[in-house]
Amino acid sequence: MPNPAANSAATTVLEPRKEFTIRGLIIGIVITILFTAANVYFGLKAGLTFATSIPAAVISMAILRYFKGATIQENNIVQTVASAAGTLSSIIFVLPGLIMIGWWSDKQGWLHAFPFWPSFGICALGGILGVMYSIPLRRALVTNSDLPYPEGIACAEVLKVGAGEEGHSATAAAENRAGLLAVVWGSIASAAFALIVATRVFAGDVVQYFQVRADGPKPGVTGFDFFLSFALFAIGHLVGLWVGIAMLVGALIGWGWGVPHFSALDTGSTAAIADLANATWSHKVRFVGAGTIGVAAIWTLLKLVKPVTSGLASAMAASRVRAAGNAGSLPRTEQDIPIGQVGLISLACMVPIGYLLWNFAIISGCSSVAASCSSC
């Protein structure tokens, strides 16, 4: 005799769950616009951006719990869409510099500010390549990662708690409400402090420059800038303690040794103390930081060779299982876009990217600069 409970359980398991929905897409787009604006602002102001997946997941769960039939998969779609805010903002590290030196302008274009369609093409192609690269990199950086708590795993844990999985069902609503309240009250506190600073009731920035003894033919100069911002406090909370300590050590090396040392060697300068300190920081010390970042990037790429190779091998193995007609035996987390299609789409994107690079080199004058340098 059939067991009704077993049939009910089977029906529950096999019932499709909402994942890619219109409401999830709209919520993700709205969060992306807001977080991209915040990321661009603070990236240009402080040179620091923040990952948006975890706060987006918290906001998504707090909103979707008021809708019927919301699932953890739908919340995952929202945070996945919103995670684009962290990657889109990275354009601030390239285009502002090109605009300032006059190489990214379109005076004949309809916007009279910057070339719209090349910019659109760069963002679109970069987004497509990002999705393609995330398929093998997911295994390398999340699934098989030796990091103690990578962001992908952290976001998954946040989603599980909010969805009431793994014994958290009794506290899921409270966690969602507390997360949303933290975001709301943080925004109110930050806005109130910014208003107080703007009205000069309280000083939000204390700057001082002075001379110090240094290993040079004259005294060096240095200074400090204590800039208080609730938004920067929030970014510091998101990046974590050790990243903050690394930034503090870098600032101490830069202003405690770099600026005094190089400014003392600049015997021909007659600039004021503040101007000399800022010029030394901009033209000497920052290049040391840029070199450090370059070495760290190369070292990170070298360390990623092995996990990326294993990720590609795992993706190819899953593709062979799918080609053999056994796709149903693969776990849900292994049902990616076939790695062959990933390779073809990535190669197809290289053609317009090559054209954009060539076109940019022509219209910006980079080709003439390169030609003049090669003739030197």
Side-chain angles (χ1 to χ4, degrees):
M1 186 173 181
N3 187 344
N7 292 339
S8 176
T11 303
T12 302
V13 172
L14 297 176
E15 182 183 356
R17 307 185 71 182
K18 293 181 179 179
E19 184 170 356
F20 191 74
T21 61
I22 297 297
R23 67 188 182 192
L25 189 61
I26 293 174
I27 295 173
I29 291 173
V30 172
I31 296 175
T32 299
I33 293 173
L34 295 176
F35 280 9
T36 300
N39 248 340
V40 168
Y41 174 78
F42 284 106
L44 293 174
K45 188 176 183 66
L48 185 69
T49 60
F50 59 92
T52 55
S53 294
I54 295 177
V58 173
I59 296 174
S60 168
M61 289 185 297
I63 295 175
L64 285 179
R65 72 186 184 90
Y66 292 104
F67 292 87
K68 183 180 179 180
T71 64
I72 187 174
Q73 288 83 2
E74 192 175 10
N75 279 311
N76 186 50
I77 287 294
V78 175
Q79 70 84 18
T80 302
V81 173
S83 66
T87 55
L88 287 173
S89 60
S90 63
I91 202 170
I92 65 171
F93 300 113
V94 180
L95 291 190
L98 297 178
I99 291 173
M100 285 186 283
I101 64 177
W103 282 5
W104 194 254
S105 60
D106 186 16
K107 293 181 173 56
Q108 306 300 322
W110 64 280
L111 288 179
H112 303 285
F114 65 95
F116 175 79
W117 288 113
S119 302
F120 174 83
I122 291 172
C123 293
L125 292 169
I128 294 172
L129 283 178
V131 173
M132 296 300 106
Y133 292 162
S134 68
I135 293 173
L137 289 178
R138 175 183 66 84
R139 295 174 171 84
L141 300 181
V142 179
T143 306
N144 302 324
S145 174
D146 58 353
L147 295 173
Y149 208 54
E151 185 188 359
I153 296 178
C155 192
E157 294 300 320
V158 171
L159 289 172
K160 288 178 182 178
V161 172
E165 294 191 4
E166 298 187 357
H168 297 290
S169 57
T171 60
E175 292 282 350
N176 290 341
R177 192 178 299 108
L180 183 60
L181 286 175
V183 173
V184 172
W185 282 112
S187 302
I188 294 174
S190 180
F193 182 79
L195 181 62
I196 292 173
V197 171
T199 54
R200 307 292 182 178
V201 175
F202 182 81
D205 196 5
V206 179
V207 184
Q208 182 66 46
Y209 299 97
F210 48 88
Q211 289 185 335
V212 295
R213 295 181 61 87
D215 51 347
K218 67 171 188 176
V221 297
T222 187
F224 59 82
D225 182 356
F226 292 122
F227 178 68
L228 183 59
S229 169
F230 274 62
L232 291 180
F233 272 122
I235 294 176
H237 174 71
L238 289 174
V239 300
L241 176 62
W242 289 109
V243 174
I245 291 177
M247 295 178 65
L248 176 62
V249 171
L252 292 176
I253 292 173
W255 286 96
W257 171 82
V259 174
H261 173 74
F262 289 110
S263 61
L265 297 178
D266 190 1
T267 57
S269 175
T270 59
I273 293 178
D275 295 334
L276 178 58
N278 286 318
T280 305
W281 169 259
S282 299
H283 301 137
K284 300 287 181 62
V285 180
R286 277 188 173 179
F287 288 100
V288 176
T292 304
I293 294 173
V295 172
I298 295 172
W299 178 251
T300 301
L301 287 175
L302 292 176
K303 290 179 64 177
L304 284 176
V305 170
K306 183 177 179 180
V308 168
T309 303
S310 63
L312 287 172
S314 177
M316 290 178 180
S319 182
R320 288 193 294 269
V321 172
R322 188 182 295 105
N326 298 322
S329 63
L330 290 173
R332 176 69 179 86
T333 54
E334 294 295 327
Q335 296 181 14
D336 292 324
I337 300 175
I339 195 65
Q341 295 182 18
V342 171
L344 290 175
I345 295 173
S346 299
L347 289 176
C349 289
M350 297 300 174
V351 176
I353 287 176
Y355 170 76
L356 285 172
L357 290 173
W358 172 82
N359 185 59
F360 173 68
I362 296 298
I363 65 175
S364 65
C366 292
S367 58
S368 59
V369 172
S372 62
C373 291
S374 62
S375 62
C376 294

